[in-house]
Amino acid sequence: MVKRQAGVTEAQIAVHWKEEDYFPPSAKFIGQANAADPGILERFSEEHFPECFKEYADLLTWDKYWHTTLDTSNAPFWKWFVGGRLNACYNCVDRHLAKNRNKAAFIWVPEPEEEEDRVITYQELYVQVNEFAALLRDFCGLKTGDRVTFHMPMLPELSVSMLACARLGIIHSQVFGGFSGQACGDRIIDSGSHVLVTMDAYYRNGSLIDHKAKADEAVARAESEGVHVDKVLIWRRYPQQYSSPTPLVEDRDFIVNDLLKDYTGKRIAPVSMPAEAPLFLMYTSGTTASPKGCQHSTGGYLAYVAGTSKYYQDIHPEDTYWCLADIGWITGHSYIVYGPLALCATSVMYEGVPTYPDAGRPWRVAERLDVNIFHTAPTTIRMLRKAGPGEPAKYNYHFKHMTTVGEPIEPEVWRWYYAAVGKGEAVIVDTWWQTENGGFLGSTLPALHPMKPGSCGPGVLGIYPIVYDEKGNEVEAGSGTAGNICIRNPWPGIFQTIWGDPDRFVEIYFAKYCKNRESKNWQDWPYLAGDGAMQAADGYLRILGRVDDVINVAGHRLGTKELESACLTVEEVVEAAAVPVLDEIRGRAVEIYVALQPSVDPSDEIQQKVTAAIEKTIGKIARPKNVWIVPDMPKTRSGKIMRRVLAGISNFTDPGDTMTLANSEIVEDVRQHVQSEKIARGDAPKELTDEEREELAKFGQES
Ligand code: WTA
């Protein structure tokens, strides 16, 4: 039985993780690493802040060097590298031509396995970007500072479009291709875009999806709110043929591949931009509250992603680097496009679903292209493990380095990633960060710190984290208690504001622990990440997930991730989600949803094993009221399990909008199964009070 620790306030999250063992990087990895000299830790220590970031900025080519590294005069709207001018496209493309024009910038792998890869050299990228930039300028009349919305799938044309905007100082706003036309329309409205760039079709899970139809919905949605889109530019998935059944709208829809014929051979000089000019907007994936357009800068952002790509992704010129994220998320912007290209790397891009046509696909691609750096998310790792745990061993590829990003990784899953995917040879960086951050916040430096499953590691170079309790007292490292993780200092990659809503920017991210709103000292403005975290005695951070995803059982705040990790120690379980349910005695109790390995049938025995695992690792307090075995979890398009939806099912409340889910069809199945069972057992909750309804509605929501 877990006792409540003396002095633990309501705000604190109880933590029961057991400390994991260290895994050292191999001598072979250390021998070749970009950051193998511990002197780098000293160079980025707090006494060298903010000047330490000159080292990142010096990875770029500046038209004009800056005079002030960090300007805090309009706190917390930080300005980095003030006085400097540069162009992001020039830095990612032009400057590499002299020595590397024939090197592959992108290797694009289509989803259908019989289709050939497309290899785009830096020279080809240069030509395509220039021609498309000419089209944006001369055909669309776009200029520096305008916004353009993209709703593009994972094709090289997306990167070409982004870089063409960057060349002209046009602010791009890519909406994840899997999002609905309506979601795209909302983002067009918020950003005030008058041009939409999209594609006719793309492959997903073996089908050629009609994507153009979504453009019509998006434009209609924008129109309904008074935002007029005058041009829709459509790239063709197959350059020679239009692949969508949806007709073009005259004088509004244009096929890019045709228009480009008028711009063949055009060259457009890169526009020299101030370091603090916005480069792009990236809307956070909020499925409930209105989306926040995170505005990222040109100089600070590019310097930060170049620096972190070099030291944390350990990219060398001869590496083949594959990040399986979608460019529609921040990971893809920073670590498929801008970071790797700034370093003149070869970046692999994949169109479709990792398990298509089977769980061996990523490993075949890795073998064929001799990929040696691999970057993905726990949801994909769990999916690949579920579909083919022994699959990686069948292929002859060798990774030196792997990344996990996007949510806390359960130690069991980490160990499979390390042993099966990495074959015990690759280092792993568990990189903790957010759309708002531009680049990594927490990670081990792969050659200098040992790995610890389930912990991201310390703050990255030049990032000084702190964990606060609700009252603003520091929760000490090694105290075994969690709190709200904050970053004490600004960094070059941090977003500049929420587009069109600077007050919300200050309120959400800074107000909670700001000591003095008038202060111009960065020391008074800690950045609130909104995640719960615990710092071990060695300084490593264990991220527990969003603070809104906490379950309060008899005043004991339990992190969902911790409960889920306990479930994953049961061999048959491949995915788990923990949600709160109303309980007459305990106020709230935990309810668990699990998905099993495909070869395993659901049984009472597995349910009992899950309960036992939770009692053992966390305690009887967390004993789940029910363990539901389901075929699949409701997930967002970026693979995050939607606990909110499951909580709605468990409590017979409104699960909220399910349209934006990747697999909305399973919600109804799960609901029927769970609720009919509960009714049969007399376990359906009585009428909820308004307060209960409100409290439950907060679970799993994003601000
Ligand atoms: C979570 C993704 C633990 C966290 C780059 C954060 C993580 C949110 C990790 C941001 C990690 C991301 N370990 N948790 N390595 N990476 N998170 O904006 O809760 O899509 O606040 O950015 O994901 O998600 P976003």
Side-chain angles (χ1 to χ4, degrees):
M1 177 84 185
V2 174
K3 293 214 182 70
R4 247 179 108 185
Q5 288 161 277
V8 173
T9 67
E10 277 282 290
Q12 288 171 341
I13 304 164
V15 179
H16 319 77
W17 296 99
K18 97 174 182 1
E19 272 295 295
E20 298 281 340
D21 294 332
Y22 288 122
F23 287 64
S26 69
K28 190 171 165 201
F29 180 83
I30 297 170
Q32 59 81 62
N34 281 332
D37 170 8
I40 196 167
L41 299 169
E42 164 59 22
R43 296 205 299 282
F44 280 84
S45 67
E46 199 168 338
E47 70 188 275
H48 299 296
F49 180 86
E51 301 308 322
C52 53
F53 282 112
K54 177 180 184 324
E55 193 163 329
Y56 281 6
D58 286 347
L59 295 171
L60 305 180
T61 304
W62 295 79
D63 303 332
K64 186 164 172 273
Y65 210 65
W66 70 89
H67 49 71
T68 305
T69 308
L70 172 62
D71 173 357
T72 63
S73 60
N74 187 24
F77 300 90
W78 319 119
K79 287 193 183 127
W80 282 88
F81 311 126
V82 184
R85 299 187 81 96
L86 77 168
N87 182 276
C89 177
Y90 177 87
N91 271 279
C92 290
V93 185
D94 304 41
R95 67 171 177 151
H96 304 317
L97 297 180
K99 292 198 181 128
N100 286 297
R101 71 184 65 223
N102 296 321
K103 177 174 179 172
F106 291 109
I107 302 175
W108 175 70
V109 180
E111 192 191 70
E113 216 160 357
E114 63 284 2
E115 253 181 61
E116 284 188 11
D117 297 345
R118 263 165 64 189
V119 178
I120 295 144
T121 65
Y122 275 93
Q123 176 68 21
E124 283 167 331
L125 186 60
Y126 172 76
V127 169
Q128 291 182 28
V129 165
N130 271 279
E131 293 177 355
F132 190 63
L135 189 159
L136 289 176
R137 188 188 68 182
D138 299 342
F139 181 73
C140 300
L142 290 166
K143 53 182 191 320
T144 302
D146 289 344
R147 278 83 54 214
V148 174
T149 298
F150 301 162
H151 195 203
M152 295 276 291
M154 279 291 282
L155 269 87
E157 286 77 3
L158 169 53
S159 310
V160 168
S161 305
M162 287 164 67
L163 292 162
C165 284
R167 197 166 188 83
L168 296 169
I170 295 167
I171 303 167
H172 60 75
S173 169
Q174 154 72 0
V175 178
F176 171 58
F179 270 157
S180 64
Q182 168 130 358
C184 177
D186 289 339
R187 287 151 180 80
I188 292 175
I189 296 164
D190 191 79
S191 62
S193 303
H194 300 292
V195 173
L196 172 65
V197 183
T198 186
M199 187 163 259
D200 55 355
Y202 65 100
Y203 275 98
R204 187 141 190 99
N205 233 344
S207 332
L208 189 62
I209 307 232
D210 175 13
H211 192 57
K212 156 62 166 86
K214 289 185 178 173
D216 294 353
E217 284 166 37
V219 172
R221 166 91 188 132
E223 208 71 56
S224 75
E225 294 285 322
V227 176
H228 178 66
V229 175
D230 31 66
K231 287 192 172 61
V232 178
L233 302 181
I234 303 160
W235 290 91
R236 284 196 291 242
R237 165 64 175 74
Y238 291 101
Q240 310 306 335
Q241 85 205 38
Y242 183 62
S243 305
S244 160
T246 307
L248 300 186
V249 174
E250 219 179 310
D251 293 332
R252 188 200 73 184
D253 296 354
F254 302 92
I255 299 291
V256 176
N257 309 68
D258 292 338
L259 294 177
L260 278 174
K261 295 187 182 113
D262 294 339
Y263 299 93
T264 309
K266 276 272 186 202
R267 298 290 180 266
I268 301 285
V271 177
S272 189
M273 300 297 292
E276 65 271 26
L279 178 62
F280 66 86
L281 305 180
M282 167 64 62
Y283 284 86
T284 51
S285 46
T287 35
T288 49
S290 66
K292 304 182 284 262
C294 298
Q295 176 186 317
H296 284 281
S297 73
T298 306
Y301 170 81
L302 198 62
Y304 198 68
V305 296
T308 49
S309 293
K310 176 167 176 184
Y311 295 128
Y312 287 90
Q313 295 296 290
D314 199 51
I315 302 179
H316 294 56
E318 62 278 15
D319 289 326
T320 305
Y321 167 83
W322 186 13
C323 173
L324 249 176
D326 193 290
I327 296 177
W329 309 122
I330 191 71
T331 299
H333 273 48
S334 300
Y335 298 111
I336 297 177
V337 182
Y338 284 113
L341 293 196
L343 298 180
C344 194
T346 296
S347 187
V348 177
M349 259 179 93
Y350 174 58
E351 178 178 27
V353 175
T355 47
Y356 182 84
D358 58 69
R361 185 66 188 279
W363 323 128
R364 286 197 289 282
V365 172
E367 181 183 84
R368 184 163 52 82
L369 301 179
D370 204 7
V371 171
N372 66 341
I373 307 182
F374 185 70
H375 188 151
T376 193
T379 177
T380 307
I381 303 169
R382 286 192 298 261
M383 183 161 82
L384 290 163
R385 175 172 176 245
K386 178 178 177 185
E391 216 47 31
K394 299 181 192 159
Y395 298 94
N396 183 22
Y397 68 83
H398 293 276
F399 296 150
K400 69 165 187 178
H401 180 291
M402 306 193 299
T403 301
T404 166
V405 62
E407 62 171 308
I409 185 166
E410 300 86 351
E412 284 303 308
V413 177
W414 191 99
R415 279 188 270 272
W416 181 78
Y417 195 36
Y418 182 79
V421 180
K423 305 183 176 180
E425 301 163 342
V427 293
I428 296 179
V429 289
D430 178 348
T431 60
W432 166 68
W433 59 297
Q434 312 169 297
T435 304
E436 293 88 337
N437 309 148
F440 307 144
L441 291 183
S443 171
T444 49
L445 250 178
L448 292 172
H449 300 126
M451 304 160 252
K452 198 157 76 173
S455 291
C456 66
V460 301
L461 294 169
I463 296 286
Y464 319 116
I466 187 163
V467 179
Y468 284 125
D469 69 13
E470 282 298 310
K471 297 204 184 82
N473 302 311
E474 179 172 356
V475 180
E476 301 220 351
S479 66
T481 313
N484 294 317
I485 183 153
C486 295
I487 307 299
R488 285 195 288 114
N489 60 301
W491 64 96
I494 189 174
F495 69 140
Q496 300 175 294
T497 186
I498 295 175
W499 179 259
D501 204 348
D503 293 343
R504 199 166 162 217
F505 172 76
V506 178
E507 286 312 313
I508 295 180
Y509 301 98
F510 298 96
K512 189 168 174 102
Y513 295 117
C514 176
K515 296 174 192 90
N516 169 10
R517 294 275 194 126
E518 301 306 313
S519 173
K520 308 283 176 222
N521 291 336
W522 61 259
Q523 284 86 349
D524 292 324
W525 291 92
Y527 167 83
L528 174 73
D531 283 334
M534 188 189 82
Q535 198 163 25
D538 58 10
Y540 279 35
L541 297 164
R542 190 145 210 173
I543 306 295
L544 306 176
R546 311 295 303 165
V547 282
D548 318 328
D549 275 1
V550 159
I551 303 175
N552 192 330
V553 180
H556 201 97
R557 285 166 52 97
L558 303 169
T560 43
K561 197 34 97 177
E562 194 172 54
L563 292 157
E564 293 157 8
S565 287
C567 301
L568 279 150
T569 61
V570 176
E571 208 189 319
E572 296 87 349
V573 172
V574 287
E575 279 185 317
V579 303
V581 279
L582 292 173
D583 182 272
E584 281 183 8
I585 297 154
R586 291 175 286 181
R588 301 289 167 275
V590 173
E591 205 152 272
I592 297 286
Y593 289 78
V594 292
L596 307 181
Q597 285 173 5
S599 53
V600 177
D601 290 328
S603 67
D604 291 352
E605 193 201 333
I606 293 175
Q607 288 168 320
Q608 282 153 17
K609 275 199 204 170
V610 169
T611 301
I614 289 178
E615 287 189 0
K616 180 164 159 257
T617 39
I618 297 172
K620 286 215 165 59
I621 182 96
R623 184 190 169 88
K625 191 162 182 173
N626 288 298
V627 176
W628 303 108
I629 298 177
V630 295
D632 199 4
M633 302 285 171
K635 285 188 200 127
T636 65
R637 307 264 173 176
S638 60
K640 292 188 185 178
I641 296 176
M642 287 304 285
R643 300 186 185 95
R644 153 174 77 80
V645 172
L646 296 171
I649 292 173
S650 282
N651 293 290
F652 290 71
T653 53
D654 177 12
D657 179 17
T658 56
M659 290 315 289
T660 51
L661 299 185
N663 53 352
S664 53
E665 70 287 351
I666 72 123
V667 175
E668 193 45 31
D669 282 1
V670 173
R671 192 187 67 75
Q672 284 195 3
H673 165 67
V674 169
Q675 294 188 347
S676 58
E677 184 86 358
K678 281 196 169 205
I679 290 167
R681 291 187 205 168
D683 192 17
K686 298 186 197 74
E687 196 46 36
L688 303 186
T689 65
D690 287 350
E691 289 79 44
E692 284 169 341
R693 217 172 264 288
E694 206 171 293
E695 189 214 300
L696 285 169
K698 275 196 207 136
F699 176 77
Q701 302 287 22
E702 293 173 38
S703 48

